[in-house]
Amino acid sequence: DAGVTQSPTHLIKTRGQHVTLRCSPISGHKSVSWYQQVLGQGPQFIFQYYEKEERGRGNFPDRFSARQFPNYSSELNVNALLLGDSALYLCASSLHSGSETQYFGPGTRLLVL
Amino acid sequence: GQNIDQPTEMTATEGAIVQINCTYQTSGFNGLFWYQQHAGEAPTFLSYNVLDGLEEKGRFSSFLSRSKGYSYLLLKELQMKDSASYLCAVRDEDQAGTALIFGKGTTLSVSS
């Protein structure tokens, strides 16, 4: 069975641009969470979606937005990119929105110049 | 506030045993996870504790004491491939859904 997939794997953008990152969860999983991991730090929670509804939001500015589609895949959008947005963006999926393990995808490495 | 502390770096030799500690202070608690992350890769799930005690899974074991806000990951019979970052994460029940709060990770270097 395929695990969590993310695209693209790498991305280079310039300040002020917009980026869309994509995630497909493990088959049968209905919840997707997004995390940002800056070099040398642990992942930081950005959003969680379950059944196409936002269930949680971390301490990130409104430039960050996300959505989940009927097939449970998800997009993370970041507007007006800043240099500090350079990071590894991880998507994790879980069965539901409760007490289950989250499984991570390979991530998208974003570099903002 | 939320705070998860773990040592920044640890070193050990092949075949040895190492214990990575994690202390946490969160507004709520609904389980503690350990993940392994090799450089440039995604975190992979190692263990989950929600009740006090020891969970054993092969060479890896994880312990939890909720009253002390403390957990450790025990790695036995260390191998070179165990060189990685080990992330402690708490699911905070005050967060909607299943958001995980991560520590900064402990970089373990295993030498021969």
Side-chain angles (χ1 to χ4, degrees):
Chain A
D1 279 348
V4 179
T5 59
Q6 293 186 244
S7 63
T9 54
H10 295 81
L11 204 51
I12 299 175
K13 292 284 189 180
T14 56
R15 281 179 296 176
Q17 284 189 310
H18 159 270
V19 70
T20 297
L21 311 181
R22 296 178 176 82
C23 170
S24 291
I26 293 170
S27 178
H29 284 197
K30 298 183 178 180
S31 179
V32 169
S33 298
W34 287 95
Y35 292 83
Q36 180 196 65
Q37 187 175 25
V38 174
L39 197 62
Q41 303 290 317
Q44 269 199 294
F45 172 69
I46 310 175
F47 286 111
Q48 192 212 14
Y49 276 78
Y50 174 64
E51 290 284 13
K52 295 164 289 187
E53 291 188 3
E54 181 183 303
R55 287 300 186 94
R57 173 186 283 255
N59 189 24
F60 279 80
D62 292 343
R63 299 185 296 108
F64 288 76
S65 63
R67 54 179 175 167
Q68 186 177 34
F69 299 98
N71 67 353
Y72 303 110
S73 67
S74 176
E75 283 183 355
L76 175 70
N77 294 283
V78 187
N79 293 323
L81 284 167
L82 302 174
L83 296 180
D85 296 331
S86 296
L88 179 67
Y89 288 85
L90 295 163
C91 171
S93 79
S94 57
L95 269 174
H96 301 292
S97 178
S99 303
E100 300 96 13
T101 300
Q102 293 186 20
Y103 296 93
F104 286 85
T108 294
R109 191 163 294 282
L110 172 66
L111 178 61
V112 182
L113 300 175
Chain B
Q2 298 169 328
N3 193 44
I4 299 178
D5 283 322
Q6 45 182 135
T8 304
E9 293 181 344
M10 297 184 72
T11 59
T13 54
E14 267 188 308
I17 300 173
V18 70
Q19 178 175 311
I20 303 175
N21 296 324
C22 171
T23 57
Y24 63 88
Q25 289 178 304
T26 56
S27 51
F29 178 84
N30 191 16
L32 187 142
F33 294 80
W34 284 95
Y35 286 84
Q36 179 192 60
Q37 187 176 28
H38 285 100
E41 298 182 9
T44 55
F45 169 72
L46 289 178
S47 69
Y48 168 63
N49 296 69
V50 66
L51 299 176
D52 290 352
L54 188 68
E55 294 283 340
E56 296 185 83
K57 192 187 294 186
R59 294 189 299 116
F60 293 2
S61 303
S62 57
F63 171 84
L64 175 66
S65 169
R66 289 172 296 171
S67 62
K68 296 181 179 177
Y70 168 70
S71 173
Y72 68 72
L73 179 69
L74 192 71
L75 293 78
K76 304 175 187 175
E77 301 168 17
L78 280 173
Q79 304 174 9
M80 298 292 283
K81 68 178 182 179
D82 297 328
S83 294
S85 179
Y86 290 86
L87 299 164
C88 173
V90 170
R91 180 164 50 222
D92 188 338
E93 66 183 4
D94 283 351
Q95 291 277 352
T98 57
L100 296 176
I101 311 301
F102 283 87
K104 294 183 179 180
T106 298
T107 300
L108 173 65
S109 299
V110 180
S111 59
S112 56

